[in-house]
Amino acid sequence: NQGFCNINYNLKTSKGTYVLRKFKSNDTVNISRKFEFNIQKKAFKKGIASKPIFIDKNKEFMVYKFLKAKHKVKLNKSELNNLLKSLKKLHKIKVKTKKMNMKKELKHYTHLNSKKAKKSLDICKKELKKLEKYDKKIVLCHNDLNPKNIFFTKKSIKFIDWEYAGLNDSFFDLAIISFEFDLNKIQKRYLLKKYLKKFTKKDILKLESYIKIYKHICKLWFISLSKSENK
């Protein structure tokens, strides 16, 4: 039971073991639950997700195959390589949907009036301004690649919790991995080299801007969550 927007149940049957994912909140879901289910189907075909089995017509719950795997909080070079291979497969999936608008996403937090929230909002706006001068490679991104959503099996790496998936700059997923796995300066450059083959100083600066944005969006999300729970 790890999510804030869902309640997950382990469902054991004579045919196998599954996860029943009960949707608790749709307030922050990027597109829709039907879209989430369809994206997971596409990702499963690429070998980077668990097999989705069913979504009910009222979009209140879905069922997918249970994965037996491990989470990692630190990555060695081999694990980072494999993670980037899975990420490239994800970023090649073709979908038609709206692009994520970061400025619009930030508007969800403008009602927060604490000093911490205002500081995080200001930093995000400042970094978004910097990003305007860089080219963007818009692809299907997971947008929530924290370690609990990445499963390391013996043969592959799979992603779960596709509720925030949508079109975004590929660097956003790279920034999440960099931040969540606490990659150092050398590891970030290695990540860029493996993903892009060639990278420039602009790519380094672009990655750092996205890392700051992700870091402060996380802060805003938890401030907002804490505020709603205290009501």
Side-chain angles (χ1 to χ4, degrees):
N1 217 4
Q2 66 181 45
F4 293 97
C5 302
N6 312 280
I7 301 172
N8 299 303
Y9 297 90
N10 191 344
L11 179 64
K12 291 185 177 182
T13 76
S14 59
K15 293 183 178 180
T17 306
Y18 306 87
V19 174
L20 191 153
R21 181 173 164 87
K22 176 80 170 65
F23 308 135
K24 192 165 65 172
S25 170
N26 292 327
D27 292 343
T28 59
V29 172
N30 191 30
I31 309 292
S32 71
R33 293 299 187 174
K34 184 179 179 181
F35 180 82
E36 176 188 349
F37 186 79
N38 289 334
I39 287 298
Q40 189 167 332
K41 279 203 290 188
K42 288 176 180 286
F44 168 71
K45 288 178 182 178
K46 293 281 187 179
I48 56 171
S50 172
K51 185 178 182 179
I53 307 294
F54 176 79
I55 185 167
D56 77 301
K57 63 180 181 179
N58 296 321
K59 313 299 182 291
E60 292 180 355
F61 70 91
M62 68 180 282
V63 177
Y64 59 85
K65 285 281 287 183
F66 176 80
L67 285 175
K68 190 174 182 180
K70 292 181 179 180
H71 297 303
K72 304 277 184 179
V73 292
K74 290 286 184 182
L75 300 175
N76 59 37
K77 190 175 281 190
S78 174
E79 290 163 346
L80 182 55
N81 282 341
N82 290 334
L83 178 52
L84 290 172
K85 283 179 186 176
S86 292
L87 189 67
K88 283 184 176 182
K89 289 179 183 179
L90 163 59
H91 288 175
K92 286 179 181 176
I93 295 174
K94 302 298 181 185
V95 293
K96 289 184 179 180
T97 187
K98 60 185 180 182
K99 296 176 188 175
M100 179 178 277
N101 185 325
M102 288 287 187
K103 289 181 180 178
K104 192 176 177 182
E105 292 297 315
L106 289 178
K107 287 181 180 179
H108 292 143
Y109 306 109
T110 52
H111 67 287
L112 302 172
N113 50 26
S114 69
K115 284 185 179 180
K116 283 184 179 180
K118 287 180 178 179
K119 182 180 179 182
S120 288
L121 278 167
D122 287 342
I123 290 170
C124 286
K125 289 174 184 176
K126 181 181 175 183
E127 295 305 322
L128 282 174
K129 189 71 179 173
K130 287 182 185 178
L131 287 169
E132 288 177 3
K133 61 188 175 187
Y134 301 120
D135 292 333
K136 291 181 173 63
K137 184 186 176 185
I138 303 300
V139 297
L140 175 68
C141 286
H142 186 282
N143 292 319
D144 191 21
L145 289 175
N146 72 73
K148 289 184 177 179
N149 289 339
I150 303 173
F151 277 27
F152 290 78
T153 70
K154 287 182 179 179
K155 296 181 180 179
S156 64
I157 292 174
K158 300 185 189 296
F159 306 126
I160 65 166
D161 288 9
W162 295 85
E163 60 197 346
Y164 296 110
L167 294 177
N168 200 357
D169 190 339
S170 59
F171 268 59
F172 191 67
D173 275 349
L174 293 173
I176 298 173
I177 291 169
S178 299
F179 178 78
E180 291 287 355
F181 291 98
D182 195 24
L183 301 189
N184 60 34
K185 188 176 179 180
I186 294 171
Q187 289 172 315
K188 287 175 192 173
R189 279 156 177 72
Y190 181 79
L191 171 137
L192 288 172
K193 185 180 178 182
K194 293 298 290 185
Y195 186 85
L196 299 173
K197 292 184 180 178
K198 291 181 181 180
F199 68 93
T200 66
K201 188 178 179 181
K202 284 184 178 179
D203 294 315
I204 296 168
L205 295 173
K206 183 182 172 184
L207 180 65
E208 290 299 334
S209 283
Y210 271 119
I211 289 171
K212 286 179 185 176
I213 289 169
Y214 173 72
K215 175 183 175 181
H216 287 281
I217 283 178
C218 287
K219 286 185 177 183
L220 290 164
W221 195 87
F222 281 107
I223 292 169
S224 181
L225 181 70
S226 175
K227 192 171 181 179
S228 62
E229 287 180 345
N230 290 331
K231 284 183 179 179

